[in-house]
Amino acid sequence: HCRMGQEERTSGGGLSTTILAIEFDGGVVLGSDSRVSAGASVVNRVMNKLSQLHDKIYCALSGSAADAQTIAEVVNYQLDVHSMEIGEDPQVRSAATLVRNISYKYKEELSAHLIVAGWDRRKGGQVYATLNGLLTRQPFAVGGSGSSYVYGFVDAEYRKGMSKEECQKFVVSTLSLAMNRDGSSGGVAYLVTIDEHCTEEKVILGNDLPTFYDQPPKYP
Amino acid sequence: MEKRCLDAQFKGVSTGVSKYNALNHHFYVSSKTINKVIQVHDRIFCCMAGSLADAQAVLKTAKFHLSFHSVQMESSPQVIAAASVLKELCYKNKDELQAGFITAGWDRKKGPQIYVVSLGGMLIKQEVTIGGSGSTYIYGYVDAKYRPNMSREECLQFATNALALAMGRDNVSGGVAHLVVITESGAEHTVVPGDKLPKFHDE
């Protein structure tokens, strides 16, 4: 079975993935790596772990690949139904609640952590963590096995009131650092930026990621 | 017996350690102020990690070997000599021991140096290194923020920040921070209590 990274559940910290989401004034930025491993093999090196739940709501997947994708698909369906019932775009909190309900009800059977982030008219950009069935709104959230290595970095570097470009840079740097240290994270970086006007998906290839003091210079 | 240990090299070496001694299975803090940076010679210090009982025993033996060695050589020991002594002990007794070390110091031949002796007895030289349970949380920070050839103040600030971040995330690191700066002119030890450490956005 394929895993995309999992946090504290398994002893020794889990497997692949680094995911994060951060809120800025007017929207959110989500980021993920692209590695899916089954044991010691990488079975997919370009997987996009940022899954769309609705026009302006995305979620970042980590943990068991099958569990996470299934949760995302089910919530996508439930959100469609819900948004038809209320006649307007759903709130980010609603999407996060739907994810949380599944994570909590089936917490013994499932092992996946989804970070839900998006923009809605009422509260602007929001990021929700749903680990183990809790629901909490945070200014930013990190997840997956690679996240352990960057807690210090995000604690030090996060500032309130960053602009959209600063947030994107922050996400890319964090992903790059985590991918360098975590054996289970790697590949390319996927970025999704959601604000009132547009939803932008971007891929940053390996040689365009920032490098740090102990790495050889990037390819020309 | 978890802890955090960090070394960064400037023209001297600054060694930082954070103190918490917790018996794992019961999560009991037996002491909040243990010093895990031990002086093995005038300008050579070692940070302990892993089982502190094992680490203390190894360091005691190593100190003896090192002072004997320095009498034989009729000069101060080199930093690599101290690290090698630790490595021999850790490697030969790898089945019984669970201790890792960061050896840092200054000698006349090669100036400031940092050596890591890992759990199984591997010895490598590095410019900057971190260890202990809390170190996983600051790999990203250290990778991003370390620059070669920082000044003494920048190095101290870097070490203090890194320790504070790790202590903020690791449940078995905390208490006070011990910092040692080793240069050609000697070694200086400062203690920074937890409430004087830098605070970050969520505190």
Side-chain angles (χ1 to χ4, degrees), chain A residues 125-146:
Chain A
Q126 300 147 71
V127 172
Y128 291 89
T130 63
L131 179 63
N132 283 340
L134 66 76
L135 177 66
T136 171
R137 180 177 173 190
Q138 298 176 189
F140 70 90
V142 293
S145 57

Side-chain angles (χ1 to χ4, degrees), chain A residues 140 148-149 151-153 155-158 177 181 212-213, chain B residues 128 136-137 139-141 143-146 165 169 200-201:
Chain A
F140 70 90
S148 322
Y149 302 102
Y151 274 119
F153 179 77
D155 280 345
E157 290 298 292
Y158 174 76
L177 287 164
R181 286 291 181 178
F212 302 95
Y213 76 94
Chain B
V128 63
T136 51
Y137 304 104
Y139 272 106
Y141 181 78
D143 282 346
K145 293 292 166 179
Y146 174 73
L165 288 164
R169 285 290 181 178
F200 297 92
H201 75 99

Side-chain angles (χ1 to χ4, degrees), chain A residues 4-7 16-17 19 60-65 68 111-114 143-144:
Chain A
M4 282 190 298
Q6 186 188 6
E7 287 176 285
S16 37
T17 273
I19 52 172
L61 313 173
S62 75
S64 151
S111 71
H113 172 212
L114 274 64

Side-chain angles (χ1 to χ4, degrees), chain A:
Chain A
H1 61 113
C2 301
R3 317 219 60 154
M4 282 190 298
Q6 186 188 6
E7 287 176 285
E8 299 76 22
R9 286 279 204 156
T10 54
S11 64
L15 306 166
S16 37
T17 273
T18 310
I19 52 172
L20 73 151
I22 177 170
E23 177 193 318
F24 62 90
D25 183 21
V28 294
V29 179
L30 292 101
S32 82
D33 73 310
S34 67
R35 183 170 290 181
V36 181
S37 46
S41 284
V42 176
V43 297
N44 187 341
R45 60 190 170 106
V46 287
M47 162 112 193
N48 189 345
K49 302 174 191 178
L50 303 177
S51 182
Q52 188 173 29
L53 297 178
H54 203 80
D55 295 344
K56 290 203 182 300
I57 308 176
Y58 272 68
C59 67
L61 313 173
S62 75
S64 151
D67 288 350
Q69 279 190 334
T70 306
I71 297 176
E73 277 171 22
V74 168
V75 172
N76 185 341
Y77 163 75
Q78 290 175 338
L79 261 187
D80 270 348
V81 171
H82 172 69
S83 83
M84 279 190 268
E85 285 175 344
I86 60 175
E88 58 179 16
D89 283 340
Q91 294 183 53
V92 184
R93 196 188 167 86
S94 314
T97 305
L98 290 169
V99 172
R100 186 276 308 266
N101 288 345
I102 300 176
S103 304
Y104 182 70
K105 186 165 181 194
Y106 299 103
K107 74 178 350 207
E108 303 303 322
E109 292 95 332
L110 295 174
S111 71
H113 172 212
L114 274 64
I115 297 178
V116 179
W119 182 92
D120 64 41
R121 229 184 5 209
R122 285 185 217 207
K123 294 196 193 144
Q126 300 147 71
V127 172
Y128 291 89
T130 63
L131 179 63
N132 283 340
L134 66 76
L135 177 66
T136 171
R137 180 177 173 190
Q138 298 176 189
F140 70 90
V142 293
S145 57
S147 67
S148 322
Y149 302 102
V150 292
Y151 274 119
F153 179 77
V154 300
D155 280 345
E157 290 298 292
Y158 174 76
R159 293 172 333 269
K160 273 209 301 226
M162 290 199 277
S163 70
K164 177 163 85 166
E165 289 69 29
E166 287 175 320
C167 276
Q168 287 172 327
K169 208 153 155 262
F170 173 79
V171 168
V172 171
S173 297
T174 309
L175 283 173
S176 191
L177 287 164
M179 281 154 65
N180 281 336
R181 286 291 181 178
D182 182 26
S184 316
S185 297
V188 303
Y190 287 100
L191 229 68
V192 166
T193 311
I194 308 171
D195 64 16
E196 184 181 1
H197 308 291
C198 70
T199 303
E200 185 199 337
E201 292 194 12
K202 211 158 71 155
V203 183
I204 299 168
L205 299 180
N207 54 323
D208 293 329
L209 288 170
T211 53
F212 302 95
Y213 76 94
D214 57 346
Q215 293 162 265
K218 294 186 249 197
Y219 292 112

Side-chain angles (χ1 to χ4, degrees), chain B residues 114-135:
Chain B
I114 297 170
Y115 293 91
V116 180
V117 177
S118 65
L119 241 48
M122 175 181 74
L123 171 65
I124 48 173
K125 179 180 189 307
Q126 292 198 291
E127 304 267 301
V128 63
T129 186
I130 53 179
S133 63
S135 69

